[in-house]
Amino acid sequence: MKTSATILSVISIAFSSFTFAFDSPEQRDAIDSQLGNTPSEQTYQNILQSNPQVAPSILSMLLNKQGVDPQNAITAAMAAAPDKATEIAQVARDAGVTNEDITSAALLAGVDPTQIAEASAAGTPTNTSVAPPSPPSVGGQGGGAISPS
């Protein structure tokens, strides 16, 4: 059951990322031109605020630019498009950003960090019930006396 839910999540993220791609190569080129080679934090914040529908794609571009602090870029992307926080977090993970930086960025952007948390290796915790321990046996089946032999 967990495996099918995980597969469904991956597939839905993959399909949803197509939705957030640039409308055209021209749009991508225009945004890339506005960003320049080493965009300032103010520049990419303005671009993200103006284009929240493609925030995950812009973040992907930003994380490949020189001089961009990943945590600040993720924070700006999540602040501009909080409804795309899951996709933004995945773009950051794919780019090699640590989960700690992604979680910090989510908190700074006002996004619930549990919404973007990556599942642990053990998987998502479930409500498992554990039987209580058996009480120790008391006494015995008689005996205890010295045998007459």
Side-chain angles (χ1 to χ4, degrees):
M1 184 67 166
K2 289 181 192 177
T3 303
S4 62
T6 303
I7 291 171
L8 182 60
S9 296
V10 169
I11 290 171
S12 67
I13 288 174
F15 282 119
S16 66
S17 65
F18 292 123
T19 308
F20 305 123
F22 293 109
D23 293 334
S24 67
E26 292 79 18
Q27 181 189 26
R28 183 194 182 291
D29 292 344
I31 290 174
D32 192 38
S33 175
Q34 290 174 344
L35 289 171
N37 291 332
T38 54
S40 70
E41 189 172 346
Q42 186 62 49
T43 299
Y44 63 74
Q45 284 177 348
N46 290 339
I47 292 170
L48 284 161
Q49 290 294 329
S50 299
N51 301 282
Q53 73 281 5
V54 290
S57 297
I58 294 172
L59 178 63
S60 180
M61 292 170 61
L62 282 170
L63 294 175
N64 289 313
K65 301 264 183 195
Q66 291 185 15
V68 173
D69 180 283
Q71 185 174 338
N72 290 342
I74 298 164
T75 301
M78 287 185 180
D83 57 320
K84 294 177 179 47
T86 303
E87 292 85 0
I88 290 167
Q90 190 58 51
V91 166
R93 279 188 200 97
D94 292 347
V97 179
T98 66
N99 280 326
E100 181 180 347
D101 284 346
I102 296 168
T103 301
S104 295
L107 289 168
L108 291 169
V111 172
D112 179 6
T114 61
Q115 177 186 348
I116 55 99
E118 187 173 41
S120 68
T124 310
T126 58
N127 187 10
T128 59
S129 42
V130 177
S134 302
S137 57
V138 178
Q141 300 296 333
I146 301 175
S147 69
S149 55

